[in-house]
Amino acid sequence: MIQELLMAAAGAAAAAAVYAGAAARVVKQYERGVVFRFGRLRDDIRSPGFTMIVPIVDRLHKVNMQIVTMPVPAQEGITRDNVTVRVDAVVYFKVVDAADALVRVEDYKFAVSQMAQTSLRSIIGKSDLDDLLSNREKLNQGLELMLDSPAMGWGVAIDRVEIKDVSLPETMKRSMARQAEADRERRARVINADAELQASKKLAEAAGVMSDQPAALQLRLLQTVMAVSAEKNSTLVLPIPVELLRFLERATPGAPEQPEPEPAPPLSEAYLKGRAAAADAIEDLTGSSVDPVPRDTDTA
């Protein structure tokens, strides 16, 4: 009798062990457990740790709650300014409602991937090339809004969306390079012209100061000589204009003034008569081939 009781107890213990082994489940820290009993969703979501289910009756599905990094394949499209580009992106999302992620959509990862590709092609067609290259932050926000609206109904929250790369045709790259080169050359010319304008203003101010103080011009000349002589040249050629010498001569105190040249004396009457006689002699010798000097002009 005792042996039968021991065997029954051992059988019950074995059955309990088998039941416990079939019913015991472990949910990890980054997971949540969703239980279906006879195909119906149970309201209680199993938290991380050890949990028990009814064998054969219940089915436990574990849902990963970590942030998923999903690359979006490169999409080719035409921008609003008719430029063909290829754009690829990456989507960061996570499950916030494990029950909705299992019940409302068949495969939430595939659904988010397809929605991301469609939204990326749509955002390419609505944007200009300059926006794709320089205003990516605004495009990223637009993509995030386009994905977040349907994803919330699937129990998924979009964390962020980033455009990784924009591929352009080679002809467009060369055109942009030429445009950038022309823009830099224009800026260089504007800066050079501005520098020349500022330098001319400063030179005009310096000329005004030197005109008020004549000695400043001589000091500037001496500074130029010193700057040239610092190069250790054996020969120094310094052209000095005559006007400068006259200016310095007039500016020197006590210098004798140069007498003004006298006007030429008027032609005498005898000289004029001699020219008229010479013209008559030439006419007699050469004939009418030589035009005589008009008498009126000589007498005048």
Side-chain angles (χ1 to χ4, degrees), residues 267 270-280 293 298:
L267 298 177
Y271 174 76
L272 296 176
K273 290 181 178 180
R275 284 191 60 187
D280 293 338
V293 179
D298 296 337

Side-chain angles (χ1 to χ4, degrees), residues 3-216:
Q3 186 177 3
E4 293 178 355
L5 291 175
L6 291 175
M7 291 181 62
V18 172
Y19 179 82
R25 294 290 186 274
V26 176
V27 180
K28 297 180 181 180
Q29 181 64 38
Y30 55 85
E31 294 177 339
R32 297 294 183 271
V34 180
V35 178
F36 291 92
R37 178 167 296 176
F38 293 112
R40 294 176 64 89
L41 177 66
R42 300 285 296 176
D43 294 335
D44 53 338
I45 303 297
R46 305 301 172 90
S47 59
F50 181 80
T51 184
M52 298 287 292
I53 62 173
V54 179
I56 303 174
V57 177
D58 293 343
R59 291 289 184 271
L60 178 66
H61 295 270
K62 300 177 182 179
V63 179
N64 193 335
M65 307 296 288
Q66 292 176 315
I67 294 178
V68 180
T69 303
M70 176 179 294
V72 181
Q75 303 296 314
E76 185 172 354
I78 301 177
T79 61
R80 192 167 57 181
D81 49 355
N82 298 325
V83 179
T84 303
V85 295
R86 289 177 59 88
V87 182
D88 57 351
V90 60
V91 181
Y92 301 90
F93 67 94
K94 63 180 179 179
V95 177
V96 294
D97 193 333
D100 289 342
L102 287 177
V103 175
R104 293 183 178 275
V105 62
E106 180 181 2
D107 187 351
Y108 65 89
K109 291 184 179 180
F110 181 74
V112 171
S113 176
Q114 294 300 313
M115 181 60 66
Q117 295 180 33
T118 305
S119 300
L120 184 58
R121 286 194 297 269
S122 177
I123 208 72
I124 290 174
K126 295 178 181 179
S127 305
D128 295 331
L129 180 60
D130 293 338
D131 295 335
L132 290 175
L133 296 178
S134 60
N135 198 9
R136 294 188 181 182
E137 190 66 26
K138 182 179 179 181
L139 298 180
N140 293 337
Q141 295 177 1
L143 278 173
E144 184 176 349
L145 291 176
M146 294 176 68
L147 291 175
D148 193 52
S149 179
M152 287 301 296
W154 305 334
V156 177
I158 304 298
D159 187 69
R160 62 186 305 175
V161 182
E162 294 287 342
I163 295 177
K164 293 197 301 183
D165 189 22
V166 179
S167 300
L168 299 175
E170 292 297 329
T171 55
M172 180 59 63
K173 291 181 180 179
R174 289 194 293 267
S175 300
M176 294 176 65
R178 289 195 299 269
Q179 179 183 0
E181 183 179 358
D183 183 67
R184 288 186 178 275
E185 185 177 358
R186 178 185 61 82
R187 290 163 56 188
R189 291 183 178 181
V190 170
I191 293 174
N192 190 16
D194 188 37
E196 292 292 339
L197 177 61
Q198 294 180 8
S200 63
K201 291 181 179 179
K202 294 299 181 182
L203 289 175
E205 294 178 3
V209 174
M210 288 183 180
S211 63
D212 295 337
Q213 300 292 335

Side-chain angles (χ1 to χ4, degrees), residues 218-229:
Q218 187 175 2
L219 293 176
R220 183 57 183 164
L221 178 62
L222 295 176
Q223 290 179 357
T224 305
V225 174
M226 292 178 60
V228 175
S229 62

